Amino acid sequence: MRFSRDLVLITGATGHVGSVTLVHLLEAGYHVRAAVRSHAKMEAVLARPAIQALNPGERLSFVIVPDITAPGAYDHAVDGVTHIIHIASPLATGDSVPGHLHDEFFIRPAVQGTINLLEAANFGGQVRRVVITSSIVALVPVDEMEGLTPRSPLEPVSPNDRIPFQPGPYNTTFAAYAASKVASLHHAEAWMARERPAFDVVYLHPGFVLGRNDTATSPAQAMQGTNSVVLALLLGKKFGPYAGVTVHAEDVARAHLMSLDPTVLGNQSYILSQPARWNEAREIARREYPEAIKSKLLVRGGSVKTTRLTVDTSLTEETFGFKFMPYAEQVKSVVGHFLELRLQKRPAVLKFGAPKKKDVFLNVREIAC
């Protein structure tokens, strides 16, 4: 570990991707300031075993930002900050958000939270780089993700692809979530072109993020987020289709960390994804967790239809210098953690209703910050 005097502001540290990224930052020796919405959120971060094991001391501090849409929300948070990792954004939820609230719940926070952060970084004057967590859904239409509109394998999704923002109303909460990512990307790039700040921006576009989620301390919590696709499949549910574009949470965190390196080209998008066939999780579970299959903790009758989507990740691999961890490693990480939590709860019986197709992609109610 090398200790760096650079101070990194991270948003979204209470969520899945943010929690892993925070650990990577601290392991790399950075001083980190986490923007959270309340003191309770701060205490939750400090209580994590992974954070306590690192004993970061003064290298980890916090700033309370209760409303990321408020004017000047991040102005105080950027004091002395040299780098920013912006992960916080509204996520789709298993509880349907009424159509008339889509703009208020998804679009406005995603856009205004990002612009507030960019304006604060520009005002502060010390920031050298901002890393923004976008999504692959900002580059490819939802209809193509779900296979409703076929995409030729000869036209892979490129990091330079852009799709137009479509205002609501939206048919599903996932469509509204996707629109928020499109809108946020458009507004951020337009702001950068207009303001020409001293810093640059790296945009990261992960697919379905899978992997151990240390913010989950119960089997029900483990079923939240994109991990729910694999777990619902292995609990016998049938749904889909979903695009076979997945990425290990550890790879996403590594990419965030490496994006702070000035040799990584800024004002550029990078796709974080590798190909997957969802139903291969059944064979992976049979091979890796035979006792769980035998004891019915996992079942093999589930199915998730896969939409094949070709993605060009050559720029990401060349820039960051690593190959993505395969789907099998992602599944093992998700299932291993779920079983660890499940066995802690025995003999209690868990019951999971079949997830609705439109709700499985992300299953978290709140902004992860």
Side-chain angles (χ1 to χ4, degrees):
M1 177 189 294
R2 63 171 184 82
F3 290 101
S4 171
R5 297 307 304 177
D6 288 339
L7 176 59
V8 181
L9 173 68
I10 183 173
T11 73
T14 60
H16 186 190
V17 170
S19 65
V20 185
T21 302
L22 175 59
V23 170
H24 277 250
L25 287 169
L26 293 172
E27 287 178 338
Y30 281 100
H31 284 67
V32 183
R33 179 183 296 155
V36 295
R37 287 186 298 153
S38 66
H39 285 282
K41 296 286 187 181
M42 177 186 71
E43 295 297 333
V45 172
L46 290 172
R48 290 182 198 148
I51 298 299
Q52 293 183 348
L54 290 171
N55 190 25
E58 66 177 12
R59 289 195 301 115
L60 176 59
S61 59
F62 295 85
V63 59
I64 306 300
V65 182
D67 181 5
I68 67 174
T69 68
Y74 289 108
D75 287 358
H76 175 63
V78 301
D79 289 347
V81 166
T82 57
H83 301 79
I84 297 173
I85 294 179
H86 181 43
I87 301 173
S89 187
L91 298 178
T93 170
D95 301 320
S96 179
V97 177
H100 69 281
L101 294 179
H102 281 168
D103 185 77
E104 177 184 345
F105 189 93
F106 292 105
I107 311 300
R108 183 170 173 266
V111 172
Q112 198 57 51
T114 299
I115 296 303
N116 279 345
L117 197 57
L118 293 174
E119 289 180 344
N122 198 27
F123 179 78
Q126 292 181 289
V127 175
R128 302 196 294 269
R129 169 158 291 177
V130 177
V131 182
I132 294 178
T133 312
S134 182
S135 169
I136 198 169
V137 297
L139 310 178
V140 55
V142 172
D143 281 357
E144 293 182 13
M145 290 282 291
E146 296 182 342
L148 300 176
T149 301
R151 185 185 184 109
S152 170
L154 300 178
E155 298 178 1
V157 179
S158 160
N160 296 320
D161 286 350
R162 296 294 183 269
I163 58 178
F165 171 71
Q166 299 292 339
Y170 305 101
N171 293 330
T172 66
T173 53
F174 176 58
Y177 159 79
S180 76
K181 288 300 187 182
V182 173
S184 177
L185 179 62
H186 278 238
H187 280 270
E189 290 184 323
W191 188 94
M192 290 293 294
R194 182 175 65 252
E195 301 296 331
R196 298 183 180 277
F199 58 85
D200 59 13
V201 176
V202 170
Y203 305 93
L204 300 179
H205 302 267
F208 287 76
V209 180
L210 302 175
R212 182 186 180 94
N213 181 1
D214 282 333
T215 69
T217 57
S218 70
Q221 291 175 350
M223 286 289 295
Q224 296 177 339
T226 49
N227 285 345
S228 65
V229 181
V230 168
L231 293 175
L233 161 65
L234 294 176
L235 292 173
K237 311 308 176 186
K238 298 180 180 180
F239 51 98
Y242 293 106
V245 286
T246 66
V247 60
H248 202 300
E250 292 288 338
D251 281 341
V252 179
R254 282 199 298 160
H256 279 81
L257 175 65
M258 296 174 73
S259 293
L260 302 181
D261 191 323
T263 63
V264 173
L265 180 64
N267 298 325
Q268 173 66 51
S269 285
Y270 300 92
I271 298 176
L272 309 177
S273 180
Q274 59 86 61
R277 295 183 181 179
W278 292 107
N279 283 342
E280 288 183 359
R282 296 179 303 200
E283 177 57 28
I284 296 166
R286 186 199 65 78
R287 182 177 66 246
E288 299 292 335
Y289 306 103
E291 291 302 318
I293 299 291
K294 183 178 179 181
S295 63
K296 305 299 183 182
L297 287 174
L298 302 174
V299 298
R300 299 182 64 192
S303 178
V304 176
K305 296 178 182 178
T306 298
T307 298
R308 295 192 181 186
L309 191 67
T310 306
V311 178
D312 182 2
T313 59
S314 58
L315 177 63
T316 304
E317 294 176 4
E318 292 168 6
T319 300
F320 297 106
F322 65 79
K323 292 289 186 180
F324 293 104
M325 283 188 271
Y327 182 56
E329 292 302 315
Q330 299 167 28
V331 171
K332 286 163 58 179
S333 181
V334 171
V335 177
H337 187 217
F338 173 76
L339 292 176
E340 174 186 320
L341 296 172
R342 179 65 180 88
L343 291 172
Q344 289 175 359
K345 296 295 181 180
R346 297 186 77 174
V349 178
L350 296 175
K351 296 182 180 179
F352 296 104
K356 296 179 180 179
K357 173 180 178 293
K358 68 178 187 298
D359 293 333
V360 169
F361 184 84
L362 287 170
N363 195 25
V364 182
R365 177 88 191 231
E366 59 193 32
I367 294 174
C369 65

